[in-house]
């Protein structure tokens, strides 16, 4: 029968830890991170003499035996949070920008309240937390605290990101946070795909795309837009809007969070290179969208030039605030395994911020005593946009060379000159990680096979699963290795690519696992003939 053309057109903390939290003096944090809150913050000063800090609340995990009374009818969750904060002890934690991978002798740093994206040398920045202050609490305390917040509606801790507020943006006031209670995404046991297709019993998919705007970008954008909200209230800089270059998902997240905070958003998109589902999201959320006749790399160059001239805050992952939210996905993975560390984590890579973000999350958990090791990381790239893969295959020995990325169905990672290349290389080297690639046919076949086992994934996750298949065949990943594949976006955002695959409309692609609908006449006999033929080779189990 022919395919139907009409279808295709269209727990509580230890007593020791709690006592430590209650008794910790406010002045115990590293003095170099703290100044009086009244001190000014200079505008775009390269070497600020001071850093503006505010105290944050570090709450002990509530007793599991306590019953929380319902808040009054005229009180919202922010009001309720303010009332509880007034009765809780305060603790000073802090963070600042430093040059990425700076040595211990570096004295360059910046307040998070400054609008700065690069170091003096032009390199990337990183958010550095006061680890000495965080280490005043042991790993058991942090595990209990984070676990106590999961699934709650307490502001802002009901968010999977802000449930780790002390490790993300400790100094921001909860009233300035812009959150859709993102995160807390499903960790899916990929039983059929694992057992029948790659011979694994312990394969998991972290569905980060089950989020507010349908991608992992929400995890970072809640942090960035919250900080912009804070800066606008401080009125230190004339920030009139937030802008980004995007292949789709970043623009959706930016526009949604800006709309929630009533902050104008500006989006640069490469014309005709993103899915319609991705394009409509920033439009629907009221962003000012520029469709530009270039690719992502061209859009990125333009937005960097524009934000250097106009009071528009840059929201791309060049801005290290984004990575602070994205790293919480790693902490969630550990929580979901009851703080047992998986052997491998496979992450699709385009602009490469996410590979470093997850490394940073795992590493913080190790340094602060929540776990004793970190997993090995795999970055999976599309063969049509594979600069990191080529760099890895060269043995990291030569200077990194960007590529001219060609069209890939994994459009969100169609990036030839990734901003976070240095971060990604660092994360992979420190985690004994590797890089693998997938051709267009390999990634689409992997997506189709995954969908046929009950998933509904994006092409980028198809890249990661195709990399997994290769690494299993080569024996790099063993059959009993606990492995997590990070799914970065919801499959519905890429429905056209699925339609094209199953209708065999993709040029030079066999689409071996296509499953088109069957046309049949509207009478009982014809339907019965088709069903008997279909069921003949499917005996009941």
């Amino acid at each position: 029968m022919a395919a139907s053309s009409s279808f295709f057109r269209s727990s509580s903390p230890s007593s020791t830890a709690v006592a430590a939290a209650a008794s910790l003096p406010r002045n115990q944090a590293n003095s170099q991170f703290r100044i009086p809150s009244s001190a000014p913050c200079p505008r775009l000063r390269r070497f600020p003499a001071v850093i503006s800090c505010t105290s944050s609340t570090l709450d002990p995990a509530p007793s599991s035996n306590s019953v929380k009374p319902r808040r009054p009818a005229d009180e919202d969750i922010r009001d309720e949070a303010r009332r509880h904060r007034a009765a809780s002890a305060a603790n000073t934690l802090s963070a600042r920008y430093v040059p990425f991978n700076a040595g211990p002798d570096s004295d360059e740093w910046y307040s998070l309240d400054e609008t700065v994206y690069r170091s003096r040398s032009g390199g990337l920045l990183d958010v550095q937390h006061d680890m000495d202050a965080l280490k005043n609490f042991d790993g058991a305390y942090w595990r209990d605290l984070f676990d106590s917040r999961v699934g709650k509606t307490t502001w802002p801790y009901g968010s999977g990101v802000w449930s780790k507020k002390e490790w993300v943006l400790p100094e921001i006031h909860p009233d300035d946070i812009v959150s859709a209670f993102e995160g807390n995404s499903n960790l899916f046991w990929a039983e059929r795909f694992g057992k029948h297709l790659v011979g694994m019993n312990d394969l998991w998919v972290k569905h980060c795309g089950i989020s507010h705007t349908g991608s992992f970008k929400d995890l970072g954008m809640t942090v960035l837009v919250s900080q912009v909200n804070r800066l606008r209230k401080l009125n230190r800089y004339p920030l009139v809007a937030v802008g980004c270059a995007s292949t789709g998902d970043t623009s959706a997240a930016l526009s949604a969070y800006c709309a929630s905070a009533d902050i104008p958003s500006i989006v640069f998109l490469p014309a005709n290179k993103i899915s319609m589902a991705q394009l409509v999201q920033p439009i629907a959320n009221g962003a000012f969208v520029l469709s530009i006749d270039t690719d992502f790399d061209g859009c990125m160059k333009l937005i960097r030039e524009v934000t250097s001239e106009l009071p528009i805050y840059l929201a791309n992952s060049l801005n290290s605030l984004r990575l602070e939210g994205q790293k919480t996905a790693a902490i969630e993975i550990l929580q979901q395994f009851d703080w047992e560390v998986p052997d491998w984590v496979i992450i699709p890579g385009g602009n490469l911020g996410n590979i470093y973000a997850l490394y940073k999350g795992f590493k913080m958990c190790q340094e602060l005593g929540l776990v004793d090791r970190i997993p090995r990381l795999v970055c999976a790239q599309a063969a049509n946009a594979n600069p990191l893969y080529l760099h890895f295959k060269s043995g990291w020995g030569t200077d990194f060379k960007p590529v001219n990325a060609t069209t890939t169905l994994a459009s969100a990672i169609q990036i030839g000159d990734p901003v976070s290349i240095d971060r990604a290389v660092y994360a992979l080297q420190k985690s004994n990680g590797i890089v693998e690639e997938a051709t267009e046919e390999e990634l689409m076949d992997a997506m189709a096979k995954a969908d046929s086992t009950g998933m509904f994934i994006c092409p980028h996750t198809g890249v990661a699963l195709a990399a997994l298949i290769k690494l299993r065949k080569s024996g790099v990943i063993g059959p009993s290795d606990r492995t997590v594949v990070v799914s970065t976006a919801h499959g519905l955002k890429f429905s056209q690519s699925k339609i094209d695959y199953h209708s065999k409309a993709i040029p030079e692609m066999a689409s071996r696992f296509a499953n088109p609908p069957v046309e049949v006449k509207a009478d009982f006999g014809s339907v019965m003939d088709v069903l008997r033929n279909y069921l003949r080779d499917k005996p009941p189990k």
Side-chain angles (χ1 to χ4, degrees), residues 17-28:
V18 174
S23 62
L24 183 66
R26 290 175 59 90
N27 63 354
Q28 194 164 338

Side-chain angles (χ1 to χ4, degrees), residues 11-25:
S11 69
S12 64
S14 66
S15 58
T16 302
V18 174
S23 62
L24 183 66

Side-chain angles (χ1 to χ4, degrees), residues 43-44 115 117 238-245 265-268 288 290 292 298-316 318:
R43 178 179 176 181
L44 292 175
T115 305
Y117 312 116
L239 294 175
V240 297
V242 188
C244 75
S265 59
I266 299 171
V267 171
F268 288 16
F288 186 66
L290 283 72
I292 303 175
C299 288
M300 188 68 218
K301 180 178 182 293
L302 285 168
I303 194 69
R304 288 175 61 181
E305 292 172 345
V306 167
T307 54
S308 69
E309 296 293 331
L310 297 175
I312 299 170
Y313 196 81
L314 180 63
N316 283 97
L318 172 64

Side-chain angles (χ1 to χ4, degrees), residues 110-186:
Y110 309 89
S111 166
L112 297 188
D113 289 343
E114 289 190 75
T115 305
V116 55
Y117 312 116
R118 291 278 194 181
S119 69
R120 283 184 301 154
S121 65
L124 298 169
L125 294 175
D126 197 14
V127 175
Q128 180 189 73
H129 290 264
D130 184 354
M131 297 298 286
D132 289 337
L134 291 171
K135 287 177 181 177
N136 282 305
F137 306 94
D138 62 17
Y141 174 79
W142 291 117
R143 288 194 299 264
D144 289 339
L145 180 65
F146 295 161
D147 287 347
S148 73
R149 294 167 171 172
V150 174
K152 303 297 193 300
T153 58
T154 304
W155 183 265
Y157 304 127
S159 159
V161 172
W162 296 107
S163 64
K164 289 86 177 171
K165 178 180 183 294
E166 296 81 7
W167 291 22
V168 174
L169 208 59
E171 298 164 69
I172 193 169
H173 194 282
D175 285 353
D176 295 336
I177 289 174
V178 183
S179 173
F181 278 23
E182 52 288 306
N184 295 320
S185 57
N186 177 35

Side-chain angles (χ1 to χ4, degrees), residues 384-464:
N384 287 0
N386 64 350
L388 182 66
Y389 174 77
L390 296 176
H391 193 35
F392 171 74
K393 295 298 286 185
S394 75
W396 308 124
T398 59
D399 291 338
F400 170 74
K401 296 178 181 178
V403 302
N404 291 319
T406 56
T407 302
T408 172
L409 290 159
S411 57
I413 57 175
Q414 186 179 319
I415 298 170
D417 190 10
V419 166
S420 292
I421 178 64
D422 293 339
R423 292 167 173 154
V425 171
Y426 179 88
L428 289 163
Q429 290 178 335
K430 292 295 184 180
S431 66
N432 191 23
I434 57 179
V435 187
E436 187 53 88
E437 68 172 355
T439 66
E440 295 300 288
E441 189 147 14
E442 287 170 340
L443 74 88
M444 292 300 289
D445 283 349
M447 181 177 71
K449 288 191 286 187
D451 289 352
S452 72
T453 65
M455 290 184 261
F456 194 75
I457 62 169
C458 64
H460 319 88
T461 310
V463 174

Side-chain angles (χ1 to χ4, degrees), residues 44 78 87 99 106 117 127 148 160 212 250 259-260 264 277 284 301 348 358 378 404 412 478 509 513-514 541:
L44 292 175
R78 287 185 188 268
S106 174
Y117 312 116
V127 175
S148 73
H212 179 54
T250 299
S260 179
K301 180 178 182 293
L358 268 75
V378 177
N404 291 319
M509 187 175 293
F513 305 99
K541 294 183 180 180

Side-chain angles (χ1 to χ4, degrees), residues 21 43 77 85 228 258 297 351 384 431 501 535:
R43 178 179 176 181
I77 61 174
R85 281 199 303 273
V228 172
C258 281
D297 296 317
N351 221 12
N384 287 0
S431 66
Y501 180 90
L535 296 172

